[in-house]
Each structure stands twice: as C-alpha cells, then as structure tokens.
Amino acid sequence: MTVQTDAPAQTDAQTDVRPEPAVETERRPWGSFERFTLNEPSTVKIIHVEPEQRLSLQRHRDRDELWVALDPGAVFEVAGRRILPEVGERVLIRAGDTHRLSSDGPAVRVMEIAFGHFDEDDIERLEDRYGRA
C-alpha cells in the first residue's frame, strides 16, 4: 500500500486559521482512493447545479469549505477569482471568503466538505438571483 499526502499548511496561531486539509491517496491492487477527512468533524455534501444556474454569492463565519469538481462545466468564484476547475480539481474556501458555484452550461456536481461548525443559517448571502439576499 502506498500513501501519498498533500501536506497541510501550518496553523496561524494569531488568526486561529484551520490548517488546509491533508488529502491522502492510498494505492491498492485494484486502484486507489483519496481520503479528504479522517476522524474530524466535517459535513460532506454533493451539490447538484442545474444547467446554467448559480448559487448565491455568499460567505460563512464559522467554516472552511473544500470544493471538488465532479463534472466538467463547473465554475467556482472564490474571493473575486473565477476558476474553471478540471474534474477532480480541489479549491479551499476559507471562512469569510466570498464564493459562488455555478454551471457554465451542463448540469454539474460538486463535492463540498465543510470543516468547522456547520449550520445552514451561517450563510450570509451577498447577491442572489432568487431574491434570498
């Protein structure tokens, strides 16, 4: 068995920033798997975005999120940057960062792993085409 670790960033004690999650890849005779979290509080969701739709521009106080693109055509907007991720590409969103997920055409799925206290009421919507801001 081979284990490859994406080393986490150092914790900044003055700002109490959580370290970046270490994603470990384990090789097996049949292939491999990636482990995104191990025995820590986290919430995992698969977000389904309909063709050419988008979520609100938002931020959270109490949690970081790791987004993983599962389909082509996803668009990540994070802290003012527009990212067109490849399938499998990961983007870390820190608590307080503005972010939005959308589809650039086809329906897309994104795996979201939230680290920290998870509460849907933690969402601060800054802009929303559905009138929820």
Side-chain angles (χ1 to χ4, degrees):
M1 170 177 51
T2 303
V3 178
Q4 171 191 346
T5 302
D6 293 346
Q10 297 297 314
T11 302
D12 184 339
Q14 290 182 334
T15 60
D16 197 30
V17 173
R18 282 182 287 278
E20 188 168 333
V23 178
E24 294 187 4
T25 301
E26 291 197 21
R27 302 240 176 256
R28 300 292 170 94
W30 43 263
S32 65
F33 66 84
E34 293 176 313
R35 182 174 50 237
F36 292 89
T37 179
L38 176 65
N39 300 329
E40 66 180 286
S42 58
T43 302
V44 180
K45 300 191 301 188
I46 303 292
I47 301 172
H48 299 258
V49 182
E50 297 295 328
E52 299 185 14
Q53 296 297 308
R54 67 182 187 189
L55 284 69
S56 58
L57 180 64
Q58 58 188 254
R59 64 180 159 218
H60 309 287
R61 278 185 321 274
D62 301 322
R63 67 180 187 255
D64 294 338
E65 294 178 344
L66 179 67
W67 284 355
V68 182
L70 301 178
D71 297 309
V75 178
F76 298 169
E77 295 175 46
V78 179
R81 291 183 14 230
R82 188 170 193 263
I83 302 164
L84 303 174
E86 298 290 326
V87 172
E89 188 172 341
R90 304 182 295 255
V91 174
L92 180 65
I93 302 158
R94 292 290 187 184
D97 283 352
T98 59
H99 58 283
R100 179 192 336 244
L101 170 62
S102 60
S103 162
D104 199 23
V108 297
R109 296 169 304 139
V110 171
M111 180 172 64
E112 174 188 278
I113 304 172
F115 299 91
H117 178 73
F118 184 88
D119 183 347
E120 288 291 340
D121 291 335
D122 178 55
I123 298 171
E124 178 187 358
R125 288 189 174 89
L126 306 170
E127 180 183 306
D128 183 71
R129 68 166 46 161
Y130 308 107
R132 300 173 298 165

